Amino acid sequence: LASMGHALPAEYVSALSVFQDHAPTNASGARELIAQELRENAHIILDRMGDAPIASASLAQVFESYLPSGEKVAIKVQHSRIRRDFEVDVRSVGLIMRLYEAFDPTFQFGWLLPELKSCFEMELDFVREAKNCEMMAELLHGRPQFSTPKIFWPFTTSRVLTMEFIEGAKITDVASIRNLGLDTNDVAKELVELFSEQIFVTGMMHSDPHPGNMIVRPYKGTHKPEIVLLDHGLYRNIDNTIRENFCHLWLALVEGNPAEVETYPSPA
């Protein structure tokens, strides 16, 4: 919702955007969860972990720490009550939908609840997220302007995710991007290419591309931008038929062919 500026009033978007990276925090709860999840490896992370999170979203908070090698890492830790809160939220949304349907039989959004449950279950599994991250790195291999963080598996579980710490600018922070010596037009071009690659070529698409999940940095000391894609919990597989039809649709739009435009929105 915080990314739907085209559909929601600016006040709603502004209020909800806090949950992208500035949600309420709970550092003590995070330390307890890390100790519980990582067991004998926990002290390696906790001994050099910052006291306060550097970011906190709706499902998890992120801390910085260092490995014995000196490598800086980001520790993504689920909020300790998130599963219980999730179950309550799902029941509440289900009740609201049933009440709305009782008053308005034309309400056609009952499909949202199972979709919501499915998305949350995927996002709450950090092992799935880590595997998705490595999958996307493999799919984007050979495209150096795009990357994903390295995963550290000895310090990763379904509720704690340890990855390479990424320095850079949030993709909507124009001033910071320019301070890095990068051209925002180049960044925009790379962003379009990043998601075009997923939609039209690989068929595996990152489905939570809000600004907090995209970091821009110079590519290996040059003035060319590199986009680092974060938060790989939610993906969608676009099947070949849809991708091919979408390719034909865009080609028809570019060529100004109305007959083809009418043909290719169909899944058949």
Side-chain angles (χ1 to χ4, degrees):
L1 292 175
S3 300
M4 295 179 65
H6 60 286
L8 295 177
E11 294 81 1
Y12 283 74
V13 173
S14 176
L16 291 169
S17 64
V18 69
F19 292 104
Q20 292 178 347
D21 51 16
H22 287 89
T25 64
N26 180 5
S28 61
R31 286 182 170 273
E32 292 174 5
L33 185 59
I34 290 172
Q36 174 186 331
E37 289 288 313
L38 299 186
R39 300 177 182 270
E40 65 274 8
N41 284 336
H43 72 94
I44 299 175
I45 294 298
L46 292 174
D47 287 350
R48 302 185 67 185
M49 191 175 88
D51 293 330
I54 58 172
S56 183
S58 55
L59 301 182
Q61 45 194 337
V62 179
F63 295 79
E64 64 178 56
S65 186
Y66 292 85
L67 299 181
S69 63
E71 190 163 6
K72 190 176 182 180
V73 293
I75 319 296
K76 182 177 178 180
V77 188
Q78 279 184 19
H79 294 300
S80 56
R81 292 168 46 112
I82 190 64
R83 283 202 168 271
R84 181 170 57 183
D85 291 347
F86 160 62
E87 291 169 1
V88 172
D89 289 346
V90 167
R91 288 198 296 269
S92 300
V93 172
L95 175 61
I96 292 170
M97 286 187 169
R98 288 193 295 272
L99 290 173
Y100 202 102
E101 287 172 350
F103 286 102
D104 183 4
T106 64
F107 182 74
Q108 298 295 319
F109 293 92
W111 58 271
L112 275 173
L113 185 58
E115 179 72 9
L116 177 68
K117 291 175 66 176
S118 173
C119 289
F120 269 117
E121 287 294 345
M122 285 190 283
E123 290 201 273
L124 288 175
D125 183 355
F126 286 178
V127 170
R128 174 196 289 267
E129 177 176 344
K131 290 179 178 178
N132 285 344
C133 182
E134 292 188 335
M135 172 201 67
M136 182 51 63
E138 182 64 27
L139 290 174
L140 296 176
H141 181 69
R143 301 292 298 270
Q145 66 271 41
F146 312 133
S147 63
T148 64
K150 176 185 176 183
I151 302 297
F152 295 91
W153 284 104
F155 311 104
T156 294
T157 71
S158 62
R159 302 178 72 190
V160 175
L161 174 58
T162 303
M163 61 196 131
E164 170 191 3
F165 193 95
I166 303 298
E167 306 275 5
K170 192 174 178 179
I171 200 162
T172 51
D173 189 345
V174 174
S176 293
I177 290 173
R178 288 174 175 162
N179 286 339
L180 291 171
L182 303 175
D183 188 325
T184 53
N185 290 322
D186 291 340
V187 173
K189 178 183 176 183
E190 298 296 356
L191 180 61
V192 170
E193 289 194 8
L194 171 60
F195 283 92
S196 295
E197 179 85 7
Q198 296 174 57
I199 295 169
F200 297 112
V201 181
T202 69
M204 290 299 296
M205 192 180 84
H206 188 294
S207 300
D208 192 17
H210 64 71
N213 286 340
M214 289 177 281
I215 300 296
V216 180
R217 63 185 181 185
Y219 175 65
K220 292 187 175 180
T222 70
H223 291 290
K224 295 180 179 179
E226 176 187 0
I227 297 177
V228 185
L229 202 54
L230 308 177
D231 194 349
H232 298 265
L234 197 58
Y235 271 79
R236 282 290 182 268
N237 184 11
I238 307 174
D239 68 44
N240 288 341
T241 300
I242 293 176
R243 285 195 297 123
E244 289 172 5
N245 284 348
F246 204 38
C247 288
H248 285 297
L249 173 62
W250 274 100
L251 183 61
L253 287 168
V254 171
E255 293 180 342
N257 189 331
E260 292 287 286
V261 170
E262 292 179 5
T263 299
Y264 280 104
S266 170

